[in-house]
Amino acid sequence: MTQFDSVEFADADLIVVGAGFYGMTIAERAASEGFKVVVLDKRDHIGGNAYSYVDSATGIEIHKYGPHVFHTNSEQIFAYLSKFTEWTPYEQRTWSLSKGRIYPLPINLATISLFNGRVMSPAEARAWVAETAREITEPRNLEEKAISLIGRPLYETFVKGYTLKQWQTDPRDLPAEIITRLPVRFNYDNRYFNDVYQCLPRDGYTPLFAKMCATRKIAVHLGVDWFDLPDHREPPAPVVYTGPIDRYFEFRFGVLGWRTVDLELETHEVDDFQGCPVMNYADADIPWTRISEFKHFHPQRAYGPRTVIAREFSRFAGEKDDPYYPINLVEDKARYNSYRELAREEKTVFFGGRLGTYRYLDMHQAIGAALSAWEKHLRPHLANGAPLELREAG
Ligand code: FAD
Ligand code: UDP
């Protein structure tokens, strides 16, 4: 077992728990300024949930924890990550299967025209949606927000069933922000994201992570759970902790609500299984939420005649599961606030990332938060001994 008396720990200026985008960005920044960093992850690989590997049977790059598409409007974040990878241009286009019919997502003019069985102009579509959305004026939850944006008929066709499967929670109890992740357009633009930069690492995510930590200043220990280290309450250096915040405090205020995802991989002896990278399944009676077909993320690669798909099944995360999506019900928010108060008392531990701050962060947001935390809190702490506190920006 890894011990604090190993040379790396004894020498470390900073310990980072979690080798996902948040932890690796902090580690890379610290190392670039000469600090010695130890990174730990309980998994047997770097990359956190963005980890991908090459399937040995087909040569196809598989995103182990579900499909990950990089997108951002931030030139700074794009430039930062570009130091570690070349890019392949890639714009996500998703389709939705509802009651035996195929529609483009996010909801756009083609979706609305197909749904109504006639060609509609942008103005006609807008007027139709406004009419069907009129019942909600002050949305207070996901269902009401969705209806206010797209009207009840589109909500019931594309959102209700999918959301029930994804969250197993009444959409009237879910926060409205979840649905605002999806754009609604009254033109034929069917890109899933609006962002200026949309791309995939040309050689895959894992080589990108490997390059981030390819320096003698960073020692990576895999397969090590922070809480299994006998002296983890008295670490020899400041700690950036990117695991679940409730676990850190031994669930003192109860468990925070998380969703996890089971991915069932299948290899098919066909060149093309579904004709697109991601197909969402809108109907509540189909148990999976979506199917990803990984070869379509890299059409420029010469993949062979077979294909690999992943069916995604969402469920509540138990104690042994990897938490993926914070549910953020009202009681979760109150609980998180209590944990955050405890976190403020930890003078040598900084909480960050999706799990450490109980936030629904995309990759660019995790990287952006880490860059900002490094500048505002961690570098001043390491360089000048400024106090280390969990802040909103963390
Ligand atoms: P993580 O990647 O979760 O890393 C945290 C790490 O900490 C993990 O590796 C974990 O093993 C480790 N850890 C936890 N506890 C301990 C412990 N006690 N000891 C040691 N190690 C520990 N973002 C996008 O931008 N685009 C997408 O298309 C996209 N798709 C997604 C699809 C799915 C299914 C999911 C779940 C997420 C998706 N995301 C996407 C979000 C993306 O995964 C996150 O933004 C990113 O992983 C956040 O990085 P992180 O470092 O905060 O957390
Ligand atoms: N959503 C939906 N139907 C879809 C896709 C998404 O109702 O076909 C809803 C669902 O509630 C989901 C939210 O929109 O949680 C955000 O979707 P996104 O694709 O951003 O979710 P991700 O899986 O990337 O977190």
Side-chain angles (χ1 to χ4, degrees):
M1 184 192 291
T2 310
Q3 300 283 355
F4 285 151
D5 56 10
S6 74
V7 176
E8 282 139 1
F9 275 111
D11 261 14
D13 297 305
L14 183 67
I15 298 170
V16 174
V17 180
F21 264 121
Y22 192 97
M24 280 299 211
T25 302
I26 297 285
E28 189 281 332
R29 286 293 75 204
S32 77
E33 299 202 18
F35 296 106
K36 291 188 189 150
V37 188
V38 176
V39 177
L40 304 177
D41 203 296
K42 65 188 174 67
R43 291 171 169 165
D44 62 1
H45 58 72
I46 53 176
N49 277 358
Y51 168 72
S52 68
Y53 65 94
V54 175
D55 173 47
S56 58
T58 60
I60 295 172
E61 181 186 349
I62 311 290
H63 299 187
K64 178 166 179 161
Y65 302 98
H68 277 68
V69 177
F70 183 75
H71 57 96
T72 185
N73 277 324
S74 162
E75 198 181 328
Q76 184 213 4
I77 293 169
F78 181 71
Y80 172 70
L81 220 51
S82 300
K83 294 200 274 185
F84 314 107
T85 186
E86 301 290 327
W87 297 101
T88 298
Y90 175 88
E91 291 180 328
Q92 178 64 26
R93 287 184 167 77
T94 300
W95 298 84
S96 176
L97 180 58
S98 173
K99 300 182 185 69
R101 297 180 67 187
I102 296 286
Y103 300 86
L105 277 188
I107 287 166
N108 63 73
L109 192 50
T111 326
I112 300 169
S113 291
L114 275 166
F115 182 80
N116 284 304
R118 67 191 171 92
V119 178
M120 296 174 93
S121 70
E124 281 173 318
R126 228 178 249 284
W128 180 79
V129 166
E131 182 55 32
T132 58
R134 221 158 46 117
E135 61 180 286
I136 304 288
T137 47
E138 284 179 26
R140 289 160 304 174
N141 53 55
L142 191 155
E143 175 167 300
E144 292 179 1
K145 184 72 187 174
I147 293 173
S148 76
L149 291 171
I150 57 174
R152 189 175 285 276
L154 295 179
Y155 165 73
E156 287 185 345
T157 305
F158 299 109
V159 175
K160 193 174 179 183
Y162 187 97
T163 298
L164 276 169
K165 290 191 285 185
Q166 171 82 350
W167 298 95
Q168 280 175 329
T169 302
D170 189 325
R172 286 168 294 195
D173 292 331
L174 288 167
E177 308 90 78
I178 292 178
I179 199 66
T180 55
R181 288 166 58 81
L182 294 188
V184 180
R185 303 199 189 98
F186 295 97
N187 57 31
Y188 289 110
D189 179 357
N190 66 342
R191 292 170 312 147
Y192 208 67
F193 305 111
N194 284 326
D195 302 49
V196 176
Y197 301 101
Q198 303 190 32
C199 41
L200 291 170
R202 189 192 64 189
D203 303 322
Y205 281 98
T206 303
L208 182 166
F209 282 102
K211 201 159 175 201
M212 287 180 92
C213 60
T215 154
R216 290 173 62 183
K217 297 278 180 204
I218 300 179
V220 179
H221 292 257
L222 297 174
V224 182
D225 190 314
W226 175 243
F227 300 106
D228 288 343
L229 293 177
D231 304 324
H232 66 269
R233 294 285 166 203
E234 288 171 28
V239 175
V240 172
Y241 173 82
T242 74
I245 190 167
D246 52 355
R247 182 169 180 217
Y248 183 90
F249 293 109
E250 294 163 342
F251 307 105
R252 196 175 311 175
F253 301 118
V255 176
L256 289 168
W258 293 96
R259 303 289 296 164
T260 194
V261 172
D262 294 321
L263 290 173
E264 287 187 4
L265 289 184
E266 293 165 17
T267 302
H268 287 263
E269 302 297 321
V270 293
D271 178 45
D272 195 349
F273 177 83
Q274 64 179 14
C276 66
V278 180
M279 176 74 71
N280 286 3
Y281 285 77
D283 300 332
D285 57 353
I286 294 179
W288 52 89
T289 50
R290 57 182 178 178
I291 297 182
S292 302
E293 185 170 4
F294 294 105
K295 67 179 352 183
H296 293 308
F297 288 97
H298 290 279
Q300 77 289 356
R301 290 183 187 163
Y303 284 138
R306 293 191 286 167
T307 194
V308 181
I309 64 159
R311 275 175 224 275
E312 261 178 63
F313 300 83
S314 170
R315 61 180 170 82
F316 287 104
E319 223 174 274
K320 297 245 177 307
D321 298 311
D322 287 323
Y324 281 11
Y325 297 100
I327 303 177
N328 252 322
L329 298 180
V330 175
E331 55 267 33
D332 290 319
K333 287 189 172 131
R335 229 169 240 150
Y336 173 64
N337 285 339
S338 304
Y339 283 123
R340 199 173 52 177
E341 288 310 310
L342 284 186
R344 284 185 198 284
E345 304 301 314
E346 296 283 312
K347 296 299 175 216
T348 57
V349 181
F350 188 90
F351 293 77
R354 181 147 147 143
L355 308 174
T357 57
Y358 195 59
R359 282 189 298 163
Y360 199 109
L361 296 178
D362 276 325
M363 293 182 280
H364 64 288
Q365 294 166 321
I367 296 160
L371 290 174
S372 149
W374 170 251
E375 290 297 332
K376 286 195 199 141
H377 307 299
L378 291 154
R379 185 210 267 145
H381 179 68
L382 291 184
N384 312 316
L388 195 56
E389 289 173 44
L390 177 111
R391 305 273 161 84
E392 293 297 326

